[in-house]
Amino acid sequence: PQSGTLDRINSRKLTTPAAKDVYDRLKDRYDRASDFEQVVVQALDKLTFNGPKFTDFEQSMEFVGEFLGFYSVRPDNSWNEGPDNLWLASKIAFIFEDKNEATTTEYSKDYFGQLSVSEKWIKSRYPFVDYIPIAVFPTKIAEHKIKTSIQEDSIKVMDSHLLELLVDRLHGYFDAIIKNFNNINAQVIQDQLNAFKLTESDLKEMFLRSNFK
């Protein structure tokens, strides 16, 4: 990112609740519930393994992050550095390396190396936040030769089961927003984030439980 960008992001996230961010984006971009619903359906349909192109998966992850109230970007795509997806809040960063097109059953040394590079990128640019590196991969199985490198459990895994759980929660959350579109406000959005366990703390708890085998 260009100089000064991070300061603006940090200031905004420290003072703007997630639900207010979502509300502002919703009203800025969509005039009708049907318009928003169309984008939601397209995005959630792409959040699966062995189907969508990785670029479509990353775009959907970016959209979801935005409408959960994060500063959501694709650093590798935008700046040729960093993770595939970043969801940033004032005190935490979720960093994703997306391997939705993977055909192997084991998380490889090369994949692990990419995520390690992304960790270093986060540490150098966002030293003030905790971060959770997440391998988006169909299974929780890592190559035997790299298990010693990840035994501290710093890297989490969004496998098929966890991705399905997340998408299921997102369907409920977005359906509620669409249903209440004409009377939407930040409090309604916050209530739905809470109801479907999609707040920053809920996501942190969900991802922290998911380790490599």
Side-chain angles (χ1 to χ4, degrees):
Q2 294 180 351
S3 177
T5 300
L6 300 187
D7 290 338
R8 292 195 298 274
I9 293 167
N10 302 339
S11 175
R12 182 164 181 252
K13 292 306 300 179
L14 284 169
T15 58
T16 308
K20 180 62 165 58
D21 268 353
V22 175
Y23 174 78
D24 290 343
R25 289 166 183 155
L26 193 65
K27 288 304 180 182
D28 285 346
R29 300 181 192 180
Y30 304 100
D31 295 323
R32 298 177 299 179
S34 58
D35 295 336
F36 182 60
E37 182 177 18
Q38 182 179 8
V39 177
V40 166
V41 170
Q42 291 174 347
L44 297 188
D45 281 350
K46 298 293 192 300
L47 291 182
T48 183
F49 291 104
N50 296 326
K53 295 179 180 179
F54 74 92
T55 52
D56 293 332
F57 189 95
E58 290 176 10
Q59 287 173 355
S60 295
M61 286 289 288
E62 182 178 26
F63 170 83
V64 166
E66 286 184 322
F67 282 90
L68 293 178
F70 293 97
Y71 172 73
S72 180
V73 287
R74 298 165 61 198
D76 186 50
N77 178 75
S78 298
W79 308 308
N80 292 318
E81 58 181 13
D84 292 327
N85 286 97
L86 167 66
W87 295 355
L88 177 68
S90 58
K91 296 181 180 179
I92 192 167
F94 297 101
I95 59 176
F96 300 90
E97 284 294 339
D98 306 324
K99 303 302 177 188
N100 65 296
E101 291 183 313
T103 55
T104 180
T105 58
E106 293 184 327
Y107 197 77
S108 70
K109 185 177 180 179
D110 288 342
Y111 290 166
F112 177 69
Q114 292 173 23
L115 198 45
S116 296
V117 170
S118 293
E119 279 191 85
K120 293 176 183 177
W121 184 87
I122 289 292
K123 288 179 182 179
S124 67
R125 288 160 178 79
Y126 304 91
F128 47 85
V129 300
D130 293 330
Y131 64 91
I132 300 178
I134 301 164
V136 182
F137 192 72
T139 75
K140 292 184 179 180
I141 302 172
E143 281 188 7
H144 178 73
K145 63 184 177 181
I146 69 167
K147 285 186 178 180
T148 55
S149 299
I150 59 175
Q151 61 186 2
E152 71 273 11
D153 294 334
S154 63
I155 294 178
K156 306 307 172 184
V157 191
M158 185 155 69
D159 64 349
S160 297
H161 172 74
L162 193 56
L163 180 60
E164 289 173 4
L165 175 62
L166 176 62
V167 170
D168 185 60
R169 291 185 186 182
L170 289 168
H171 272 294
Y173 167 68
F174 284 126
D175 285 349
I177 291 179
I178 292 165
K179 181 179 179 181
N180 293 281
F181 189 89
N182 292 331
N183 299 304
I184 202 72
N185 57 52
Q187 186 58 57
V188 170
I189 293 169
Q190 185 62 59
D191 290 345
Q192 301 312 315
L193 287 170
N194 293 338
F196 291 99
K197 297 183 178 180
L198 291 168
T199 66
E200 178 184 319
S201 58
D202 290 326
L203 292 169
K204 182 176 180 180
E205 180 180 356
M206 180 172 69
F207 286 126
L208 282 177
R209 292 179 178 177
S210 185
N211 301 322
F212 275 113
K213 292 180 180 178

